Tab-separated table of all heavy atoms in Angstrom:
chain	number	residue	atom	x	y	z
A	66	TYR	N	-67.118	-1.798	-45.287
A	66	TYR	CA	-66.520	-0.555	-44.793
A	66	TYR	C	-67.415	0.643	-45.106
A	66	TYR	O	-66.936	1.759	-45.311
A	66	TYR	CB	-65.138	-0.326	-45.398
A	66	TYR	CG	-64.060	-1.270	-44.903
A	66	TYR	CD1	-63.962	-2.562	-45.418
A	66	TYR	CD2	-63.133	-0.882	-43.945
A	66	TYR	CE1	-62.967	-3.433	-44.981
A	66	TYR	CE2	-62.137	-1.748	-43.506
A	66	TYR	CZ	-62.061	-3.015	-44.022
A	66	TYR	OH	-61.091	-3.878	-43.588
A	150	ILE	N	-53.481	3.060	-37.479
A	150	ILE	CA	-54.880	3.184	-37.900
A	150	ILE	C	-55.063	4.303	-38.929
A	150	ILE	O	-55.908	4.198	-39.821
A	150	ILE	CB	-55.827	3.374	-36.698
A	150	ILE	CG1	-55.526	4.671	-35.944
A	150	ILE	CG2	-55.744	2.174	-35.760
A	150	ILE	CD1	-56.486	4.952	-34.798
A	151	LEU	N	-54.260	5.359	-38.824
A	151	LEU	CA	-54.379	6.447	-39.795
A	151	LEU	C	-53.820	6.043	-41.157
A	151	LEU	O	-54.359	6.428	-42.196
A	151	LEU	CB	-53.668	7.698	-39.280
A	151	LEU	CG	-54.350	8.414	-38.109
A	151	LEU	CD1	-53.490	9.575	-37.620
A	151	LEU	CD2	-55.749	8.910	-38.495
A	152	ASP	N	-52.745	5.256	-41.160
A	152	ASP	CA	-52.202	4.749	-42.432
A	152	ASP	C	-53.219	3.834	-43.115
A	152	ASP	O	-53.374	3.867	-44.345
A	152	ASP	CB	-50.900	3.992	-42.191
A	152	ASP	CG	-49.720	4.922	-41.951
A	152	ASP	OD1	-49.870	6.132	-42.180
A	152	ASP	OD2	-48.648	4.435	-41.524
A	153	LEU	N	-53.903	3.014	-42.319
A	153	LEU	CA	-54.939	2.144	-42.877
A	153	LEU	C	-56.076	2.966	-43.460
A	153	LEU	O	-56.522	2.712	-44.588
A	153	LEU	CB	-55.476	1.197	-41.808
A	153	LEU	CG	-56.694	0.353	-42.217
A	153	LEU	CD1	-56.336	-0.607	-43.347
A	153	LEU	CD2	-57.263	-0.405	-41.026
A	154	LEU	N	-56.542	3.957	-42.720
A	154	LEU	CA	-57.635	4.803	-43.204
A	154	LEU	C	-57.228	5.533	-44.474
A	154	LEU	O	-58.012	5.626	-45.427
A	154	LEU	CB	-58.037	5.805	-42.119
A	154	LEU	CG	-59.170	6.769	-42.481
A	154	LEU	CD1	-60.446	6.014	-42.825
A	154	LEU	CD2	-59.419	7.757	-41.334
A	155	ARG	N	-56.011	6.027	-44.513
A	155	ARG	CA	-55.510	6.726	-45.704
A	155	ARG	C	-55.516	5.794	-46.924
A	155	ARG	O	-55.913	6.196	-48.028
A	155	ARG	CB	-54.094	7.246	-45.433
A	155	ARG	CG	-53.525	8.106	-46.553
A	155	ARG	CD	-52.121	8.605	-46.204
A	155	ARG	NE	-52.153	9.527	-45.075
A	155	ARG	CZ	-51.687	9.243	-43.862
A	155	ARG	NH1	-51.169	8.048	-43.610
A	155	ARG	NH2	-51.741	10.139	-42.903
A	156	ARG	N	-55.101	4.557	-46.722
A	156	ARG	CA	-55.083	3.588	-47.832
A	156	ARG	C	-56.498	3.253	-48.291
A	156	ARG	O	-56.757	3.161	-49.503
A	156	ARG	CB	-54.354	2.314	-47.398
A	156	ARG	CG	-54.319	1.236	-48.484
A	156	ARG	CD	-53.440	0.069	-48.089
A	156	ARG	NE	-53.965	-0.662	-46.940
A	156	ARG	CZ	-54.902	-1.609	-47.021
A	156	ARG	NH1	-55.453	-1.908	-48.194
A	156	ARG	NH2	-55.300	-2.253	-45.944
A	157	LEU	N	-57.414	3.063	-47.343
A	157	LEU	CA	-58.790	2.742	-47.700
A	157	LEU	C	-59.434	3.868	-48.507
A	157	LEU	O	-60.168	3.614	-49.472
A	157	LEU	CB	-59.611	2.486	-46.430
A	157	LEU	CG	-59.269	1.222	-45.634
A	157	LEU	CD1	-60.012	1.212	-44.303
A	157	LEU	CD2	-59.614	-0.031	-46.429
A	158	ILE	N	-59.139	5.106	-48.131
A	158	ILE	CA	-59.690	6.252	-48.861
A	158	ILE	C	-59.061	6.352	-50.241
A	158	ILE	O	-59.749	6.570	-51.245
A	158	ILE	CB	-59.469	7.552	-48.056
A	158	ILE	CG1	-60.296	7.530	-46.770
A	158	ILE	CG2	-59.842	8.775	-48.901
A	158	ILE	CD1	-60.028	8.698	-45.851
A	159	ARG	N	-57.748	6.188	-50.296
A	159	ARG	CA	-57.036	6.288	-51.577
A	159	ARG	C	-57.516	5.246	-52.570
A	159	ARG	O	-57.697	5.534	-53.765
A	159	ARG	CB	-55.532	6.138	-51.337
A	159	ARG	CG	-54.691	6.322	-52.601
A	159	ARG	CD	-53.223	6.014	-52.362
A	159	ARG	NE	-53.007	4.586	-52.112
A	159	ARG	CZ	-52.470	4.104	-51.011
A	159	ARG	NH1	-52.092	4.909	-50.030
A	159	ARG	NH2	-52.304	2.793	-50.871
A	160	GLU	N	-57.742	4.029	-52.084
A	160	GLU	CA	-58.156	2.941	-52.963
A	160	GLU	C	-59.670	2.809	-53.069
A	160	GLU	O	-60.171	1.831	-53.635
A	160	GLU	CB	-57.533	1.626	-52.457
A	160	GLU	CG	-56.010	1.659	-52.486
A	160	GLU	CD	-55.387	0.373	-51.980
A	160	GLU	OE1	-56.138	-0.576	-51.662
A	160	GLU	OE2	-54.142	0.313	-51.899
A	161	GLU	N	-60.379	3.770	-52.507
A	161	GLU	CA	-61.842	3.835	-52.579
A	161	GLU	C	-62.487	2.550	-52.062
A	161	GLU	O	-63.424	2.019	-52.653
A	161	GLU	CB	-62.291	4.122	-54.016
A	161	GLU	CG	-61.774	5.449	-54.561
A	161	GLU	CD	-62.270	5.756	-55.959
A	161	GLU	OE1	-62.932	4.881	-56.565
A	161	GLU	OE2	-61.993	6.857	-56.454
A	162	GLN	N	-61.981	2.082	-50.933
A	162	GLN	CA	-62.513	0.874	-50.315
A	162	GLN	C	-63.392	1.176	-49.117
A	162	GLN	O	-63.842	0.253	-48.429
A	162	GLN	CB	-61.358	-0.049	-49.904
A	162	GLN	CG	-60.579	-0.609	-51.073
A	162	GLN	CD	-59.456	-1.527	-50.632
A	162	GLN	OE1	-59.069	-1.540	-49.464
A	162	GLN	NE2	-58.937	-2.317	-51.552
A	163	ILE	N	-63.645	2.446	-48.864
A	163	ILE	CA	-64.494	2.846	-47.749
A	163	ILE	C	-65.483	3.887	-48.249
A	163	ILE	O	-65.153	4.726	-49.086
A	163	ILE	CB	-63.642	3.405	-46.583
A	163	ILE	CG1	-64.510	3.653	-45.350
A	163	ILE	CG2	-62.878	4.652	-46.990
A	163	ILE	CD1	-63.703	3.981	-44.107
A	164	GLU	N	-66.728	3.787	-47.765
A	164	GLU	CA	-67.782	4.722	-48.163
A	164	GLU	C	-68.096	5.644	-46.982
A	164	GLU	O	-68.527	5.192	-45.928
A	164	GLU	CB	-69.046	3.964	-48.572
A	164	GLU	CG	-68.921	3.177	-49.871
A	164	GLU	CD	-68.946	4.059	-51.102
A	164	GLU	OE1	-69.303	5.254	-50.958
A	164	GLU	OE2	-68.624	3.569	-52.186
A	165	ILE	N	-67.860	6.937	-47.169
A	165	ILE	CA	-68.124	7.921	-46.119
A	165	ILE	C	-69.208	8.866	-46.609
A	165	ILE	O	-69.055	9.517	-47.642
A	165	ILE	CB	-66.840	8.704	-45.775
A	165	ILE	CG1	-65.719	7.741	-45.393
A	165	ILE	CG2	-67.100	9.694	-44.638
A	165	ILE	CD1	-64.369	8.399	-45.270
A	170	THR	N	-67.747	14.598	-41.349
A	170	THR	CA	-66.555	13.752	-41.297
A	170	THR	C	-65.618	14.075	-42.453
A	170	THR	O	-64.393	14.156	-42.275
A	170	THR	CB	-66.943	12.264	-41.337
A	170	THR	OG1	-67.771	11.956	-40.211
A	170	THR	CG2	-65.709	11.379	-41.297
A	171	ILE	N	-66.177	14.262	-43.628
A	171	ILE	CA	-65.356	14.617	-44.796
A	171	ILE	C	-64.673	15.960	-44.577
A	171	ILE	O	-63.496	16.138	-44.918
A	171	ILE	CB	-66.227	14.644	-46.073
A	171	ILE	CG1	-66.737	13.229	-46.390
A	171	ILE	CG2	-65.439	15.208	-47.256
A	171	ILE	CD1	-67.727	13.166	-47.521
A	173	GLU	N	-63.736	17.193	-41.717
A	173	GLU	CA	-62.625	16.973	-40.783
A	173	GLU	C	-61.440	16.309	-41.478
A	173	GLU	O	-60.284	16.632	-41.191
A	173	GLU	CB	-63.080	16.124	-39.591
A	173	GLU	CG	-63.824	16.910	-38.537
A	173	GLU	CD	-63.896	16.177	-37.212
A	173	GLU	OE1	-63.201	15.151	-37.044
A	173	GLU	OE2	-64.648	16.627	-36.327
A	174	LEU	N	-61.729	15.389	-42.382
A	174	LEU	CA	-60.642	14.732	-43.122
A	174	LEU	C	-59.853	15.746	-43.941
A	174	LEU	O	-58.637	15.625	-44.095
A	174	LEU	CB	-61.219	13.651	-44.037
A	174	LEU	CG	-61.697	12.365	-43.349
A	174	LEU	CD1	-62.538	11.532	-44.312
A	174	LEU	CD2	-60.514	11.550	-42.837
A	175	GLN	N	-60.543	16.745	-44.455
A	175	GLN	CA	-59.880	17.743	-45.293
A	175	GLN	C	-59.046	18.728	-44.485
A	175	GLN	O	-58.191	19.420	-45.040
A	175	GLN	CB	-60.923	18.489	-46.127
A	175	GLN	CG	-61.584	17.610	-47.184
A	175	GLN	CD	-62.665	18.331	-47.962
A	175	GLN	OE1	-63.317	19.240	-47.442
A	175	GLN	NE2	-62.860	17.946	-49.207
A	177	PHE	N	-57.418	17.625	-41.679
A	177	PHE	CA	-56.525	16.771	-40.910
A	177	PHE	C	-55.182	16.761	-41.612
A	177	PHE	O	-55.076	16.308	-42.758
A	177	PHE	CB	-57.100	15.356	-40.820
A	177	PHE	CG	-56.410	14.477	-39.810
A	177	PHE	CD1	-56.779	14.502	-38.488
A	177	PHE	CD2	-55.393	13.622	-40.203
A	177	PHE	CE1	-56.152	13.693	-37.553
A	177	PHE	CE2	-54.755	12.805	-39.291
A	177	PHE	CZ	-55.138	12.853	-37.959
A	196	VAL	N	-62.469	11.898	-37.323
A	196	VAL	CA	-61.433	11.177	-38.043
A	196	VAL	C	-60.918	10.012	-37.206
A	196	VAL	O	-60.776	8.887	-37.699
A	196	VAL	CB	-60.272	12.124	-38.411
A	196	VAL	CG1	-59.113	11.342	-39.037
A	196	VAL	CG2	-60.741	13.201	-39.375
A	199	LEU	N	-63.557	7.258	-36.861
A	199	LEU	CA	-63.639	6.529	-38.126
A	199	LEU	C	-62.447	5.599	-38.291
A	199	LEU	O	-62.594	4.447	-38.733
A	199	LEU	CB	-63.694	7.527	-39.288
A	199	LEU	CG	-63.686	6.954	-40.704
A	199	LEU	CD1	-64.952	6.139	-40.967
A	199	LEU	CD2	-63.545	8.078	-41.738
A	200	ALA	N	-61.251	6.068	-37.937
A	200	ALA	CA	-60.043	5.261	-38.085
A	200	ALA	C	-60.096	4.025	-37.186
A	200	ALA	O	-59.692	2.932	-37.602
A	200	ALA	CB	-58.810	6.105	-37.755
A	203	ALA	N	-62.625	1.565	-38.708
A	203	ALA	CA	-62.053	0.920	-39.895
A	203	ALA	C	-61.032	-0.147	-39.499
A	203	ALA	O	-60.964	-1.222	-40.120
A	203	ALA	CB	-61.400	1.969	-40.801
Side-chain angles (χ1 to χ4, degrees):
Y66 289 79
I150 63 176
L151 289 176
D152 283 349
L153 172 64
L154 180 60
R155 186 179 294 109
R156 179 173 65 83
L157 292 171
I158 293 174
R159 184 186 69 239
E160 298 180 3
E161 299 183 354
Q162 294 181 345
I163 187 170
E164 291 285 347
I165 305 170
T170 300
I171 294 173
E173 280 197 11
L174 286 166
Q175 292 177 330
F177 192 85
V196 174
L199 176 65

